Amino acid sequence: MNAFYPRVAERAGHRCEYCRAPERVFNFAFQVEHIYPVHLGGLDVLTNLALSCESCNLYKGGAITGWDELSQQEVSLFHPRLQVWEEHFEWDTTLGHLEGKTATGRATVHRLRLNSDFQCRARRIWAPMGLFP
Ligand SMILES: [Zn+2]
């Protein structure tokens, strides 16, 4: 396990900092993710680390940008240390979808596949249990 895990997980409230999945319903610890990837010079410091579920970490990979369909531009992905989640995303309670409110939010939803069938189904189960959002 990453040495920074305890502090990163506590700071994140044990939720994925991208999709807001609650770690406590999983049977494994979430991952400590480099917001700015190591291969691009990102450092192993708290200001560059975020708690991420396996799905978000898998699809984010080494990316720092994503495509915003509305503006037709490649834009920066959501940065959990520099940006406020609620300013970039909102939740559709009926469908379990996360909607991007900004170009960054939309590009992040698209790149990290935040509205996969698995993600949406899980949110619809978690919501009545008080685990989401
Ligand atoms: Zn996630």
Side-chain angles (χ1 to χ4, degrees), residues 16 18 31-34 52-62 112:
C16 175
Y18 296 100
Q31 300 170 348
V32 174
E33 187 260 339
H34 290 87
S52 177
C53 72
E54 190 160 341
S55 178
C56 288
N57 201 21
L58 173 70
Y59 292 120
K60 181 176 178 287
L112 276 59

Side-chain angles (χ1 to χ4, degrees), residues 9-100:
E10 180 72 24
R11 178 178 64 189
H14 292 272
R15 291 176 154 266
C16 175
E17 295 192 71
Y18 296 100
C19 75
R20 292 285 170 103
E23 184 181 41
R24 66 181 160 156
V25 297
F26 287 77
N27 63 352
F28 50 86
F30 281 178
Q31 300 170 348
V32 174
E33 187 260 339
H34 290 87
I35 301 166
Y36 198 75
V38 172
H39 77 274
L40 296 176
L43 300 176
D44 206 24
V45 295
L46 282 170
T47 53
N48 189 43
L49 299 174
L51 192 67
S52 177
C53 72
E54 190 160 341
S55 178
C56 288
N57 201 21
L58 173 70
Y59 292 120
K60 181 176 178 287
I64 56 172
T65 63
W67 182 253
D68 174 32
E69 195 67 37
L70 187 63
S71 66
Q72 293 288 298
Q73 293 181 343
E74 189 80 8
V75 299
S76 296
L77 296 176
F78 176 69
H79 192 302
R81 299 282 69 79
L82 302 176
Q83 297 171 311
V84 177
W85 194 91
E86 290 81 0
E87 292 177 3
H88 294 275
F89 305 98
E90 61 188 348
W91 186 49
D92 179 317
T93 55
T94 306
L95 300 174
H97 282 189
L98 286 180
E99 305 294 340

Side-chain angles (χ1 to χ4, degrees), residues 15 22 24-25 91 123-133:
R15 291 176 154 266
R24 66 181 160 156
V25 297
W91 186 49
R123 290 182 197 121
R124 290 192 301 268
I125 293 169
W126 297 334
M129 299 167 69
L131 298 169
F132 192 88

